[in-house]
Amino acid sequence: MNNPTINLLTDIRRELKEGSDEKTAAQSQYYFKDEVKVYGIKMPAVGKIARSYFREIKNLSKHEIFDLCEELWRSGYIEESVIACEWTYALKKEFEPEDFTLFERWIDRYVNNWASCDTLCNHTVGTLVEKYPKKIAELKRFARSGNRWMRRAAAVTLIIPARKGLFTSDIFDIADILLMDNEDLVQKGYGWMLKAASQANQKAVFDYVIKNKKVMPRTALRYAIEKMPAELKKEAMKKD
């Protein structure tokens, strides 16, 4: 990495430190069960920094920008991962199928909390999968991973396509794989995916929940039915 790009990362980190405060850092930690690395700067300010510095790098090649993103991921700080996600998503028109391998590596190697997982997968990975639907087979592989963040990624990648009514049968396939997962953050992830799918396919999701409610964890079930009418929620929550 050349001096200008090293200097750019140094400037970003200086600005993040200068904008941080202990109260925000403590509040940020509250949302995570495991300890996370944070500067302690509010997300709107992080987004502003990301957009400001992207103007300085927008003429670099996609791969040069991805290299910078990798350095941000490597730090382990949530705020730096958010900047990496914003920069990556800004290149969505340039996404190619082979970029999926890089995004998978970031999830497997660097993601260690739900916020980084969701920020990367909801937009960047979800957009790539929507553009190249054959990659859904890779998400089903994710769902069988020993890494809980890979399993959560399998579900939350499809949130936005699910709202559009896309990939419904694949969504149920992934839910089947994750159905009895012991990790609550994975349960919440696939429950959220089903909730998103219910916005376009309410009956199909309701039928799925009813069919599986005897074994589906209550956490996932509650997420899945959250957007449904009260009478359907009551039916789904009723113990047989």
Side-chain angles (χ1 to χ4, degrees):
M1 193 166 287
N2 58 37
N3 284 336
T5 52
I6 291 172
N7 292 340
L8 181 109
L9 293 175
T10 300
D11 289 345
I12 289 171
R13 287 164 177 158
R14 186 192 68 249
E15 197 162 337
L16 288 169
K17 287 176 184 175
E18 289 174 353
S20 67
D21 67 80
E22 291 183 7
K23 182 180 178 181
T24 301
Q27 289 174 337
S28 299
Q29 187 64 57
Y30 173 80
Y31 295 102
F32 302 93
K33 290 196 305 181
D34 303 318
E35 188 172 351
V36 292
K37 286 178 71 175
V38 294
Y39 286 95
I41 176 170
K42 295 185 184 300
M43 283 301 130
V46 176
K48 185 176 179 181
I49 291 169
R51 291 186 292 274
S52 172
Y53 281 93
F54 188 77
R55 288 194 286 271
E56 296 186 29
I57 64 168
K58 64 182 181 180
N59 292 323
L60 296 178
S61 72
K62 180 179 74 173
H63 295 295
E64 287 174 318
I65 294 174
F66 283 174
D67 285 345
L68 283 167
C69 292
E70 179 116 20
E71 288 301 312
L72 291 166
W73 276 110
R74 204 187 305 274
S75 76
Y77 280 93
I78 287 181
E79 293 92 343
E80 292 195 36
S81 77
V82 168
I83 293 171
C85 290
E86 289 226 8
W87 287 0
T88 306
Y89 186 62
L91 301 174
K92 59 186 178 293
K93 291 182 180 178
E94 298 180 47
F95 285 173
E96 299 167 288
E98 53 267 30
D99 294 329
F100 189 92
T101 301
L102 175 65
F103 302 158
E104 176 181 353
R105 187 174 82 231
W106 289 350
I107 297 165
D108 193 40
R109 185 175 297 178
Y110 302 120
V111 167
N112 60 11
N113 63 82
W114 62 262
S116 295
C117 182
D118 297 358
T119 304
L120 175 61
C121 294
N122 285 175
H123 301 289
T124 294
V125 187
T127 296
L128 188 147
V129 167
E130 195 169 333
K131 191 173 181 181
Y132 304 107
K134 288 183 179 179
K135 291 298 179 183
I136 288 185
E138 303 297 326
L139 298 183
K140 294 175 185 178
R141 177 172 56 80
F142 283 16
R144 294 184 171 89
S145 172
N147 180 338
R148 62 176 167 165
W149 303 116
M150 294 284 284
R151 300 199 305 277
R152 183 177 172 98
V156 300
T157 290
L158 294 177
I159 298 298
I160 294 173
R163 289 174 183 156
K164 301 175 184 178
L166 301 175
F167 311 134
T168 304
S169 64
D170 297 299
I171 284 166
F172 290 140
D173 287 345
I174 289 170
D176 283 344
I177 298 168
L178 300 174
L179 188 62
M180 298 175 68
D181 198 291
N182 291 326
E183 289 281 351
D184 69 326
L185 287 168
V186 177
Q187 295 169 13
K188 290 175 181 178
Y190 89 76
W192 182 20
M193 175 183 67
L194 290 172
K195 175 173 65 176
S198 77
Q199 293 176 243
N201 293 290
Q202 181 178 277
K203 184 180 185 305
V205 174
F206 178 75
D207 289 347
Y208 181 86
V209 169
I210 293 298
K211 181 179 76 173
N212 292 290
K213 71 175 191 172
K214 289 183 179 179
V215 295
M216 182 183 287
R218 301 297 271 186
T219 297
L221 191 152
R222 288 191 185 97
Y223 267 71
I225 64 175
E226 189 176 342
K227 294 283 186 180
M228 293 185 185
E231 64 272 17
L232 296 185
K233 288 183 184 179
K234 184 177 179 181
E235 179 66 23
M237 292 296 292
K238 185 168 63 178
K239 293 185 178 180
D240 296 331

